[in-house]
Amino acid sequence: DQQVKQNSPSLSVQEGRISILNCDYTNSMFDYFLWYKKYPAEGPTFLISISSIKDKNEDGRFTVFLNKSAKHLSLHIVPSQPGDSAVYFCAASYAGGTSYGKLTFGQGTILTVHP
Amino acid sequence: EPEVTQTPSHQVTQMGQEVILRCVPISNHLYFYWYRQILGQKVEFLVSFYNNEISEKSEIFDDQFSVERPDGSNFTLKIRSTKLEDSAMYFCASSELGEKLFFGSGTQLSVL
């Protein structure tokens, strides 16, 4: 199942700089996109989401951009902090019928922020 | 902050045995889910549950699996006869309106 892809397995960034995590999707039915962060031995923690009617959503240091024509979204973290080091998952869903909350996840990108 | 609670954190079982994984969703949430992540693979959807019935289930969720909300607080996943390939981290999640899901810390199931 390759409907949601995160092509970069890992990303290394210096503290204070911008982290950009990318995600591509193939299913044009997806209309809601989420980013989750996961630390070892914990469950995914919700970070930020965006509906397909928007192209940008911002929450503090986190901004998600959606390019529907390219079926691409990205998560920007500015400024990056060492505590941001974790696995970041992109997920997508569509609100049709009973599928609400049925998330399709990407493989994850390991972000390491160096002090 | 309210959170989804899962027990146990680790479960070891013999192949063919029944296991029950337990979850306490966030109290005002209406939608409940089970996901799993096999080591090295993606997090994958198993089942969604709303209004005391299954809303949707994946191909993985065959007759060996069942879910139940036995009372107003617990949500359980039962695997009737475990197989080696059921070994995975199982995540429970809940949602108020069906969009933003909150996940528990998971139960690591090891089938020997």
Side-chain angles (χ1 to χ4, degrees):
Chain A
D1 176 7
Q2 294 293 312
Q3 294 189 77
V4 178
K5 284 193 286 191
Q6 293 174 255
N7 291 317
S8 299
S10 62
L11 175 67
S12 184
V13 168
Q14 206 67 29
E15 181 179 5
R17 307 294 290 267
I18 184 171
S19 295
I20 300 176
L21 297 113
N22 294 302
C23 178
D24 296 296
Y25 62 95
T26 56
N27 189 340
S28 56
M29 297 283 289
F30 289 142
D31 58 8
Y32 191 67
F33 304 89
L34 310 91
W35 283 95
Y36 282 85
K37 177 170 75 172
K38 186 180 180 304
Y39 295 117
E42 293 185 13
T45 302
F46 172 79
L47 271 179
I48 192 168
S49 61
I50 188 166
S51 162
S52 61
I53 61 172
K54 294 186 172 183
D55 53 21
K56 176 182 173 182
N57 189 25
E58 197 170 344
D59 184 1
R61 297 186 298 114
F62 302 93
T63 303
V64 57
F65 295 92
L66 175 63
N67 182 334
K68 287 188 291 293
S69 59
K71 294 192 176 72
H72 177 84
L73 63 154
S74 60
L75 174 69
H76 292 210
I77 307 173
V78 183
S80 302
Q81 299 171 354
D84 295 330
S85 298
V87 181
Y88 287 77
F89 291 100
C90 166
S93 72
Y94 52 93
T98 59
S99 296
Y100 228 22
K102 179 184 175 185
L103 302 182
T104 301
F105 281 85
Q107 305 95 313
T109 296
I110 301 170
L111 173 66
T112 304
V113 181
H114 298 282
Chain B
E1 187 175 320
E3 59 181 23
V4 176
T5 306
Q6 287 187 244
T7 54
S9 56
H10 292 86
Q11 175 87 51
V12 180
T13 190
Q14 295 290 326
M15 192 170 55
Q17 294 296 303
E18 174 183 288
V19 292
I20 297 176
L21 309 183
R22 303 180 191 278
C23 170
V24 179
I26 295 173
S27 61
N28 64 328
H29 285 188
L30 302 176
Y31 297 81
F32 312 110
Y33 311 86
W34 285 99
Y35 284 75
R36 77 174 186 189
Q37 186 178 27
I38 295 171
L39 188 63
Q41 298 186 22
K42 292 184 179 185
V43 177
E44 51 189 355
F45 169 82
L46 291 178
V47 66
S48 59
F49 191 86
Y50 170 72
N51 201 25
N52 278 321
E53 60 183 23
I54 291 175
S55 309
E56 187 161 353
K57 56 186 181 180
S58 71
E59 293 173 356
I60 304 163
F61 196 90
D62 61 21
D63 291 342
Q64 293 299 312
F65 291 87
S66 62
V67 289
E68 197 177 37
R69 188 155 162 81
D71 53 42
S73 59
N74 291 285
F75 180 52
T76 61
L77 174 69
K78 183 195 287 186
I79 310 175
R80 244 179 293 281
S81 178
T82 49
K83 307 185 188 88
L84 295 175
E85 55 264 37
D86 294 328
S87 294
M89 178 71 88
Y90 287 79
F91 294 108
C92 173
S94 69
S95 172
E96 187 177 4
L97 298 173
E99 292 181 342
K100 189 166 69 180
L101 272 63
F102 292 84
F103 286 83
S105 296
T107 294
Q108 180 65 57
L109 177 65
S110 299
V111 182
L112 306 178

